[in-house]
Amino acid sequence: MLQDMQKGKNSAIIVAAGSGSRFGTEIPKQFLSLNGVEILSLSVHSFLTHPAIDEVIVVASAAFVDGVKSRYPECQVVLGGSTRQDSVFNGLNACSKDTEIVLVHDAARPLIPKRIIDACLEKLVDFDGVAPAIMPADSMVRIEADGFSNLHRGDLRIVQTPQCFKADVLMNAHTRGITDTDEMGLVKQAIPTARLGFVEGVTASMKITSAADLEMIRFYLKSYQTNSQENR
Ligand code: C5P
């Protein structure tokens, strides 16, 4: 177990500073209510109650930072940036000085089973970065100027969060002037020698991007709670 060998903290950073413009509501999706609870509270709870997580940092935008502070007093709450990567960087800078492992999670993914966090931490013993990923269910193509090409879906993965890293590796990647939409992509570009790996994710850890996704999450949440032993 990594925990047996490490001396520093495991810090979870939940990025919740997105505006949710694709979702089409005035309130960003992470602050909407699902079955009577705020969507953000589900991921906050997963990390706060995980025995291997020492601190939880929530990154929120200026309009929401005070509200998040008052609703989640157990978390450290910091201001986000104009991109997801900037928000992650602000979260990284708020981690304890002795943080050894960081887990970066999207607030827009409310369902994160404990066993996924366990599997990522376990695999980090031999890797610099680990994230959950699932195989696409649909056929995949790349659109090109003169048509499209087929992609073999067995070779493709949908990358989810939490994306988990040795903290010094992720911090180093953030100082190279490179941008990407997630940490696995950023570290791969910035530090080509970094050892990066994946664990099997779950469909229920989907990111909410549309109103229809909310209904799916409502459904998953029900079975998640029914099978709480297995899922938590
Ligand atoms: O926009 P997207 O769905 O990719 O956002 C993924 C996560 O990153 C969301 O939880 C969102 O709140 C967060 N985010 C952020 N700061 C930004 C943009 C997105 O914390 N500037």
Side-chain angles (χ1 to χ4, degrees), residues 19-25 27-30 32-34 39 107-110 206-220:
S19 63
S21 48
R22 280 183 295 174
F23 195 76
T25 55
I27 302 176
K29 58 207 170 190
Q30 59 273 23
L32 295 176
S33 166
L34 192 67
I39 286 174
R109 297 180 194 275
M206 64 190 276
K207 181 161 69 176
I208 302 172
T209 50
S210 70
D213 293 339
L214 263 189
E215 290 314 307
M216 286 293 287
I217 294 284
R218 217 186 289 280
F219 168 79
Y220 282 131

Side-chain angles (χ1 to χ4, degrees), residues 15-18 22 29-30 59 81-84 87 106-108 207 209:
V15 282
R22 280 183 295 174
K29 58 207 170 190
Q30 59 273 23
V59 186
S82 57
T83 66
R84 182 183 181 284
S87 294
D106 291 330
K207 181 161 69 176
T209 50

Side-chain angles (χ1 to χ4, degrees), residues 109-139:
R109 297 180 194 275
L111 301 184
I112 165 67
K114 176 180 178 291
R115 65 192 153 87
I116 299 288
I117 300 174
D118 293 341
C120 288
L121 291 176
E122 193 71 49
K123 192 155 178 161
L124 262 184
V125 173
D126 299 314
F127 287 80
D128 296 315
V130 175
I134 57 172
M135 208 186 285
D138 300 308
S139 296

